């Protein structure tokens, strides 16, 4: 950890992600001296390749704009680098490295051949015209294209990158590479190689995982009260599946504040506001005056609920919010976002025996379905929604079992955070040893 801090100064989120994993791995390293001998820990925290580039573009008024682009190709032991692109003003190397590091372990869990990587830009899509988004995406891809490919590195969406952005990115890739390689990006539109159920996959997968975790403790989602942070891709489809299972979702949020609807969120309204109109979540109360809107980012965790699903961004739940949730009787947390709980919040939940579905396992349904999209692209076929959804459900059932078994095997029963980290690590570590010092 000292080495990581020294070599990656100022990258707090990356330090945090590494710390969480290294703490989980203590019993593994004790039991397996071969990992130490092969320098696996030293190698696994060092990205295989880090790319940073200038992204110049012209806004609608003709002003020159310069952003910074990133792609961190973290680990290719088990497959081509795979992971999303994030467009958000907070993006810097430390955020992309934390996400890329987590992606390595996450991508090891579904049993599919995908390595770990992540990319993005400090570009802020908010308030930009469609034309500006397109010009930015084209400029970004004009550099990125030389570093990616269906057998090399396959980006997808993340915060600020959805179907619209993937479309513009794919269009430019196709043009400048002079080839139609659908498998170079995932999360594509259905007309050009996208997979049915990819849009829903992260949120649905999260709820499948939580269902498995509750079921292992003789509980279920039925009639549970749920609070979800975020109102983006992951939050919306987590809400949909939770409602299908008979849970009542009472709140959702965006970066400005949250809506509280004691009768249950009307998801069609949220979809219209967020997916179609791209407006703020406070618009909801214009459609449903009986609901309330409150400003603030952390205040949503003061609502009394049985299950909390943080689906917005990192460090959304700190120790203070964790204690409030526990005092209000929460029984389970499902991490839809990446690293939504601080390490202190995670410890607080675990010490209080709250069931915690960790991001690397619980939100892996998105990238797993991306891998299914890659398979369909290679086959030049497309599977039905039901087929993909069924595969996703099976994958989540298996990930829960894998994390649960690994936790038990290493003396950390019921600690799915440790279980996911350990199971993800073992496959990567064994593969790295098999492939020699590369
Ligand atoms: P979206 O861009 O679709 O939605 C992000 C949501 O989080 C928005 O409602 C956004 O509000 C809200 N938000 C609140 N605070 C912040 C903040 N400080 N920074 C950024 N967003 C904030 O992204 P996704 O739903 O795709 O991603 C949500 C989380 O899930 C991320 O952590 C992502 O890494 C993770 N994830 C996504 C996967 C996917 O397949 N898309 C797969 C696995 C994990 P506002 O609109 O006001 O910014
Ligand atoms: O964090 C994630 O797993 C994602 N944003 C999805 C990555 C992918 O390649 O589908």
């Amino acid at each position: 950890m000292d080495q990581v801090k020294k070599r990656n100064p100022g990258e707090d989120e990356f330090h945090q992600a590494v710390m969480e994993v290294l703490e989980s791995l203590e019993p593994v390293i004790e039991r397996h001296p071969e990992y130490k001998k092969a320098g696996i820990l030293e190698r696994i925290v060092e990205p295989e390749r880090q790319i940073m580039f200038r992204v110049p573009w012209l806004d609608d008024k003709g002003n020159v704009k310069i952003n910074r682009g990133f792609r961190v190709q973290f680990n290719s032991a088990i497959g081509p680098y795979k992971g999303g692109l994030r467009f958000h003003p907070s993006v810097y190397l430390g955020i992309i490295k934390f996400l890329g590091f987590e992606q390595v372990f996450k991508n090891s869990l579904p049993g599919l051949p995908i390595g770990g990587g992540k990319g993005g830009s400090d570009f802020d899509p908010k308030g930009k015209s469609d034309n500006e988004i397109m010009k930015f995406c084209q400029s970004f891809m004009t550099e990125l294209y030389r570093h990616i490919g269906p057998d090399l590195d396959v980006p997808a969406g993340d915060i600020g990158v959805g179907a619209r952005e993937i479309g513009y990115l794919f269009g430019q890739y196709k043009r400048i590479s002079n080839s139609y390689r659908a498998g170079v990006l995932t999360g594509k539109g259905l007309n050009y190689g996208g997979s049915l159920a990819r849009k829903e996959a992260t949120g649905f997968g999260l709820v499948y995982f939580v269902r498995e975790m509750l079921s292992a403790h003789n509980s279920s989602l039925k009639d549970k009260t749920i609070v979800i942070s975020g109102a983006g891709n992951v939050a919306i489809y987590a809400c949909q599946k939770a409602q299908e299972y008979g849970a009542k979702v009472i709140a959702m949020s965006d970066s400005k504040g949250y809506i509280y609807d004691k009768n249950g969120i009307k998801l069609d309204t949220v979809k219209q506001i967020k997916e179609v109109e791209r407006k703020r979540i406070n618009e909801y109360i214009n459609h449903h005056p009986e609901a309330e809107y409150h400003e603030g980012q952390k205040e949503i965790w003061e609502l009394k609920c049985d299950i909390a699903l943080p689906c917005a961004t990192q460090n959304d739940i700190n120790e203070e919010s964790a204690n409030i949730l526990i005092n209000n009787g929460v029984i389970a947390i499902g991490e839809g976002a990446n690293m939504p709980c601080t390490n202190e919040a995670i410890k607080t939940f675990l010490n209080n025996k709250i069931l915690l579905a960790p991001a690397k396992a619980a939100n892996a349904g998105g990238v797993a379905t991306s891998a299914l999209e890659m398979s369909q692209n290679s086959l030049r076929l497309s599977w039905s929604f039901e087929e993909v959804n069924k595969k996703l459900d099976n994958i989540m059932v298996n990930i829960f079992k894998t994390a649960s078994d690994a936790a038990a095997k290493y003396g950390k029963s019921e600690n799915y955070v440790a279980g996911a980290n350990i199971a993800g690590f073992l496959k990567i570590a064994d593969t790295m040893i098999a492939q020699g010092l590369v």
Side-chain angles (χ1 to χ4, degrees):
M1 198 60 229
D2 287 344
Q3 265 182 40
V4 168
K5 286 188 177 160
K6 202 167 158 215
R7 190 171 261 177
N8 307 277
E11 297 176 1
D12 294 346
E13 296 82 0
F14 180 51
H15 302 167
Q16 181 184 337
V18 173
M19 189 66 170
E20 186 213 287
V21 170
L22 291 188
E23 283 188 350
S24 299
L25 293 181
E26 263 188 60
V28 181
I29 301 303
E30 271 169 29
R31 229 183 267 184
H32 296 275
E34 68 272 23
Y35 296 148
K36 208 165 175 198
K37 186 161 166 268
I40 294 296
L41 289 185
E42 289 79 0
R43 282 200 269 157
I44 213 165
V45 297
E46 185 66 23
E48 289 176 14
R49 192 176 295 114
Q50 308 184 52
I51 300 147
M52 286 171 65
F53 50 94
R54 180 170 68 198
V55 188
W57 56 283
L58 282 180
D59 73 10
D60 287 346
K61 297 197 182 92
N63 299 316
V64 170
K65 299 280 172 181
I66 302 296
N67 285 100
R68 186 170 283 181
F70 302 87
R71 188 72 185 167
V72 173
Q73 300 178 330
F74 224 109
N75 192 301
S76 62
I78 61 169
Y81 309 105
K82 181 84 197 87
L85 297 170
R86 177 177 292 191
F87 292 170
H88 193 271
S90 63
V91 163
Y92 75 107
L93 189 58
I95 296 255
I96 300 300
K97 270 160 73 178
F98 116 64
L99 290 163
F101 180 74
E102 298 228 318
Q103 201 82 43
V104 175
F105 299 84
K106 182 195 305 193
N107 292 6
S108 156
L109 292 171
L112 297 164
I114 39 177
K118 200 85 188 188
S121 174
D122 57 2
F123 173 72
D124 185 0
K126 280 208 186 69
K128 301 290 187 296
S129 70
D130 205 54
N131 188 42
E132 289 172 326
I133 300 280
M134 182 180 73
K135 284 193 292 188
F136 175 81
C137 288
Q138 290 179 340
S139 181
F140 183 83
M141 184 53 86
T142 301
E143 173 60 31
L144 186 69
Y145 92 100
R146 68 189 85 247
H147 307 292
I148 62 175
D151 297 315
L152 170 60
D153 184 356
V154 183
D158 194 81
I159 289 176
V161 178
R164 173 180 61 168
E165 291 73 21
I166 293 292
Y168 295 146
L169 291 164
F170 184 71
Q172 183 73 351
Y173 180 85
K174 180 167 70 70
R175 183 183 194 194
I176 59 186
S177 67
N178 193 32
S179 65
Y180 204 110
R181 281 183 225 157
V184 73
L185 290 170
T186 61
K188 298 180 294 295
L190 298 177
N191 289 339
Y192 55 97
S195 173
L196 285 159
R198 172 61 188 93
K199 183 176 71 173
E200 293 82 359
T202 312
F204 279 21
L206 169 67
V207 175
Y208 296 151
F209 189 97
V210 170
R211 178 197 69 202
E212 292 303 298
M213 183 172 76
L214 291 173
S215 156
H217 294 83
N218 302 314
S219 184
S220 75
L221 285 147
K222 183 136 185 39
D223 297 328
K224 295 293 187 297
T225 299
I226 301 191
V227 166
I228 301 181
S229 69
N233 174 264
V234 181
I236 285 175
Y237 294 96
C239 178
Q240 183 168 320
K241 189 50 76 178
Q243 290 179 338
E244 276 175 40
Y245 281 130
K248 186 169 166 189
V249 178
I250 55 163
M252 293 179 82
S253 64
D254 62 19
S255 56
K256 289 275 186 302
Y258 73 87
I259 48 163
Y260 168 62
D261 191 335
K262 64 176 186 313
N263 302 319
I265 295 283
K266 280 70 177 181
L267 193 58
D268 286 347
T269 310
V270 177
K271 283 185 180 172
Q272 176 66 24
I273 295 168
K274 287 292 176 186
E275 293 187 333
V276 182
E277 298 168 12
R278 297 178 187 274
K279 288 188 176 155
R280 312 294 328 170
I281 195 77
N282 63 1
E283 289 281 325
Y284 185 92
I285 54 172
N286 298 335
H287 301 265
H288 305 287
E290 70 285 6
E292 298 169 20
Y293 173 73
H294 298 271
E295 296 258 313
Q297 273 212 350
K298 303 249 183 273
E299 287 74 2
I300 191 170
W301 306 120
E302 291 166 17
L303 294 168
K304 185 174 166 47
C305 62
D306 302 309
I307 299 171
L309 302 179
C311 296
T313 191
Q314 64 275 358
N315 294 330
D316 192 2
I317 300 184
N318 58 19
E319 190 176 1
E320 193 188 340
S321 300
N323 279 313
I324 297 172
L325 282 162
I326 294 168
N327 289 335
N328 282 334
V330 79
I331 59 164
I333 313 292
E335 296 189 325
N338 287 308
M339 206 165 77
C341 296
T342 64
N343 288 347
E344 294 71 30
I346 291 176
K347 284 184 184 141
T348 306
F349 287 129
L350 294 177
N351 289 340
N352 284 278
K353 303 266 176 264
I354 308 301
L355 299 175
L356 178 51
K360 293 184 200 84
N363 75 30
V367 75
T369 307
S370 278
L372 299 179
E373 182 172 330
M374 290 163 70
S375 301
Q376 293 168 79
N377 295 150
S378 296
L379 290 166
R380 298 180 193 272
L381 285 175
S382 46
W383 301 328
S384 69
F385 187 95
E386 290 69 28
E387 219 173 332
V388 179
N389 189 33
K390 184 88 199 100
K391 286 186 177 19
L392 167 65
D393 196 333
N394 284 337
I395 287 169
M396 299 315 295
V397 169
N398 285 331
I399 293 179
F400 175 72
K401 196 169 175 321
T402 303
S404 177
D405 290 351
K409 192 169 166 200
Y410 285 90
K412 306 234 178 184
S413 276
E414 315 275 292
N415 178 345
Y416 307 117
V417 179
N421 287 336
I422 292 169
F425 172 81
L426 289 172
K427 182 172 173 186
I428 302 292
D430 291 340
T431 309
M432 287 172 72
I433 290 181
Q435 293 176 356
L437 187 56
V438 292

